[in-house]
């Protein structure tokens, strides 16, 4: 039997240091000038098949759009550059990217995951992965538990940092060092921060995954996922599965997502600025129990943010608990004027939701609360509106949700005008 440590992972060579900085790469990586027309923005290639000059000899590098497409390839090149990786693969959704990672494991494999993960990831781990013989163990304190949880069958460790929705952080380098000694790969879901704020491959991760739907595309009009990595062996294995499974995005979606990439650095900076403003305002409010935001000095893992995040930025995501319980939290979500009550995140518009009742409702209550996802928890995605308007919106919504129900002016709570 192979024991942990018998086959340590040799970290593959990193991608060469880019000549240009992030903003320049965001605009130009994977965006060649069209050699036929001179177009500075790539055309959309909608063809599903490509001509061949002889049997088995395509005109260019493309044969069939499921295997590869000019728009998808250009987008993949852009993400690889921004995540400081050698390779990237695009998928029809973030969930498809997750499935591709898990389906690359042999039956009998064991996975260790942080407890506080996106509800769809938890659903796949608990309802689907087990069907093809992959067992997942969840832990709320991976940095403390990892060595005790590793077995001879452990093949992969799954991290969200920040986690969804409690914004907990994980020291990626510390986990990667332990995992690699035992021959175990580390996957980091980087959706909450985007490649602009954090590059997990630079901290020892083997694979970084994103729901492109969120910050990378950034306009709430594309469903996509992507994975980036450095290993040629991973490229061979995952690209084979990508093609065989067929969970690939359309050329149009790739074109739209690549358009979004070009302004990622601008949007991510603005969302982070707004996130900090809102988090500070909430932390001062007497109507809030607690605020989860890694950009605050009071965040329990602020030191990790300073080490792993660009300029210590906290990102545009935060969550907080409302005084007054679930009912007050629901009133808050219905009282906002700028924030839209909806699932998802990372778009130009600000969104509000209640994880326990919405994005994470499929996780049993006991497990949710063990991970800090209580019924009174509200999650905010701060967009690129004026930050002062976002602050004013959350404060007025808190007043309506928490204070207003206590003020009766001599009338009983629940007073109506007499109409049914």
């Amino acid at each position: 039997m192979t024991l942990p440590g018998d086959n340590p992972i040799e970290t593959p060579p990193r991608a060469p240091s880019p000549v240009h900085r992030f903003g320049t790469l965001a605009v130009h990586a994977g965006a060649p000038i069209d050699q036929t027309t001179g177009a500075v923005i790539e055309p959309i290639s909608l063809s599903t098949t490509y001509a061949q000059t002889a049997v088995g000899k395509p005109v260019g590098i493309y044969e069939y759009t499921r295997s590869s497409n000019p728009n998808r390839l250009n987008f993949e090149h852009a993400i690889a550059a921004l995540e400081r990786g050698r390779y990237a693969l695009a998928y029809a959704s973030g969930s498809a990217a997750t499935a591709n990672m898990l389906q690359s494991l042999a039956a009998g494999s064991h996975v260790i995951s942080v407890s506080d993960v996106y509800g769809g990831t938890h659903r796949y781990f608990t309802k689907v992965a087990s069907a093809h013989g992959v067992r997942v163990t969840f832990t709320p304190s991976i940095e403390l538990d990892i060595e005790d949880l590793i077995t001879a069958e452990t093949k992969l460790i799954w991290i969200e940092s920040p986690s969804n929705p409690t914004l907990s952080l994980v020291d990626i380098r510390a986990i990667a060092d332990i995992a690699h000694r035992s021959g175990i790969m580390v996957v980091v879901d980087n959706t909450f921060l985007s490649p602009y704020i954090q590059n997990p491959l630079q901290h020892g991760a083997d694979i970084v995954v994103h729901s492109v739907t969120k910050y990378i595309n950034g306009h709430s009009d594309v469903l996509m996922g992507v994975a980036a990595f450095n290993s040629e062996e991973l490229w061979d294995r995952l690209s084979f599965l990508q093609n065989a499974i067929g969970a690939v995005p359309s050329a149009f979606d790739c074109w739209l997502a690549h358009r979004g990439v070009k302004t990622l650095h601008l949007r991510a900076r603005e969302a982070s600025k707004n996130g900090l403003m809102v988090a500070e305002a909430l932390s001062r409010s007497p109507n809030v129990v607690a605020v989860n935001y890694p950009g605050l000095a009071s965040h329990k893992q602020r030191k990790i943010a300073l080490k792993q995040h660009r300029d210590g930025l906290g990102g545009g995501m935060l969550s907080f608990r409302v005084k007054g319980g679930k009912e007050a939290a629901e009133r808050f979500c219905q009282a906002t004027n700028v924030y839209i009550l909806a699932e998802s995140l990372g778009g130009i518009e600000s969104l509000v939701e209640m994880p326990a009742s919405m994005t994470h409702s499929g996780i049993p209550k006991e497990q949710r609360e063990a991970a800090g996802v209580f019924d009174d928890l509200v999650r905010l995605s701060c967009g690129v509106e004026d930050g002062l308007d976002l602050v004013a919106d959350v404060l007025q919504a808190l007043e309506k949700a928490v204070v207003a129900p206590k003020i009766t002016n001599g009338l009983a709570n629940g007073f109506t005008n007499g109409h049914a």
Side-chain angles (χ1 to χ4, degrees):
M1 180 177 67
T2 302
L3 297 174
D6 287 351
N7 295 292
I9 288 178
E10 291 187 10
T11 303
R14 290 181 180 178
S17 296
V19 175
H20 299 297
R21 292 175 175 81
F22 193 98
T24 307
L25 287 174
V27 173
H28 295 289
I33 301 299
D34 186 86
Q35 295 302 302
T36 302
T37 66
V40 297
I41 298 298
E42 62 178 331
I44 303 172
S45 179
L46 295 177
S47 183
T48 57
T49 191
Y50 299 86
Q52 304 193 13
T53 57
V55 176
K57 293 184 178 179
V59 171
I61 62 173
Y62 306 105
E63 297 178 11
Y64 186 62
T65 194
R66 186 185 71 248
S67 301
S68 191
N69 166 281
N71 298 108
R72 192 165 96 223
L73 188 63
N74 286 343
F75 172 75
E76 290 170 343
H77 284 167
I79 295 302
L82 296 181
E83 276 292 10
R84 306 290 297 275
R86 291 179 176 270
Y87 309 100
L89 293 170
Y91 298 90
S93 68
S95 295
T98 298
N100 200 188
M101 302 302 112
L102 271 289
Q103 288 172 349
S104 71
L105 303 177
S109 296
H110 175 236
V111 174
I112 301 171
S113 171
V114 293
S115 298
D116 188 12
V117 292
Y118 164 55
T121 301
H122 188 278
R123 178 175 60 238
Y124 187 90
F125 285 174
T126 56
K127 305 294 185 183
V128 183
S130 58
H132 56 89
V134 174
R135 180 173 61 90
V136 181
T137 299
F138 294 96
T139 172
S141 50
I142 195 165
E143 288 167 274
L144 299 176
D145 300 341
I146 180 172
E147 292 188 273
D148 292 333
L149 294 173
I150 289 174
T151 72
E153 290 74 39
T154 306
K155 304 299 180 187
L156 188 148
I157 292 172
W158 190 278
I159 294 170
E160 280 187 15
S161 185
S163 63
N164 182 3
T166 65
L167 285 298
S168 295
L169 305 182
V170 174
D171 187 325
I172 299 169
R173 175 63 66 185
I175 296 298
D177 287 347
I178 295 170
H180 289 172
R181 289 199 298 268
S182 299
I184 300 167
M185 290 193 305
V186 175
V187 178
V188 177
D189 184 335
N190 198 29
T191 297
F192 262 33
L193 291 182
S194 86
Y196 178 73
I197 298 179
Q198 180 173 260
N199 295 128
L201 299 181
Q202 296 295 104
H203 298 283
D206 299 284
I207 305 173
V208 54
V209 297
H210 291 270
S211 171
V212 173
T213 312
K214 314 311 194 285
Y215 282 105
I216 289 177
N217 176 64
H219 293 77
S220 301
D221 53 12
V222 165
L223 179 70
M224 270 181 65
V226 74
F229 43 90
N230 282 311
S231 165
E232 184 176 0
E233 187 275 331
L234 274 176
W235 162 259
D236 291 339
R237 190 188 336 165
L238 296 179
S239 61
F240 172 83
L241 282 172
Q242 180 201 43
N243 183 53
I245 294 169
V248 295
S250 72
F252 185 47
D253 281 350
C254 291
W255 186 90
L256 284 172
H258 200 173
R259 171 217 59 183
V261 164
K262 297 174 190 295
T263 59
L264 173 58
H265 54 302
L266 307 177
R267 293 183 286 102
R269 283 201 296 258
E270 194 69 10
S272 283
K273 184 183 80 173
N274 288 345
L276 179 60
M277 289 176 65
V278 171
E280 288 176 338
L282 289 171
S283 66
R284 293 191 295 267
S285 172
N287 302 318
V288 171
V289 177
V291 179
N292 304 314
Y293 183 68
L296 290 174
S298 58
H299 189 277
K300 61 183 178 180
Q301 294 145 330
R302 178 61 182 158
K303 288 183 179 179
I304 296 178
L306 292 172
K307 181 170 71 170
Q308 290 181 179
H309 301 181
R310 180 190 298 270
D311 301 327
L313 291 172
M317 297 301 301
L318 62 110
S319 62
F320 65 100
R321 297 181 64 187
V322 181
K323 281 188 178 178
K326 179 180 180 181
E327 293 75 15
E330 288 181 351
R331 289 193 294 269
F332 174 89
C333 292
Q334 293 167 343
T336 56
N337 296 317
V338 181
Y339 284 87
I340 301 167
L341 178 57
E343 296 185 355
S344 199
L345 58 105
I348 53 174
E349 69 289 321
S350 293
L351 302 177
V352 58
E353 66 109 7
M354 289 179 61
S357 302
M358 296 171 69
T359 52
H360 293 64
S361 62
I363 302 175
K365 181 180 176 70
E366 192 174 287
Q367 294 180 33
R368 283 202 312 268
E369 293 191 346
V373 185
F374 297 95
D375 287 345
D376 59 1
L377 186 73
V378 172
R379 190 187 76 180
L380 298 178
S381 173
C382 296
V384 298
E385 301 95 341
D386 191 289
L388 291 175
D389 289 334
L390 296 181
V391 169
D393 195 33
V394 296
L395 294 181
Q396 67 82 25
L398 277 173
E399 287 289 315
K400 291 177 181 176
V402 180
V403 180
K406 299 177 183 177
I407 302 174
T408 63
N409 292 324
L411 301 174
N413 283 333
F415 172 82
T416 71
N417 60 8
H419 298 293

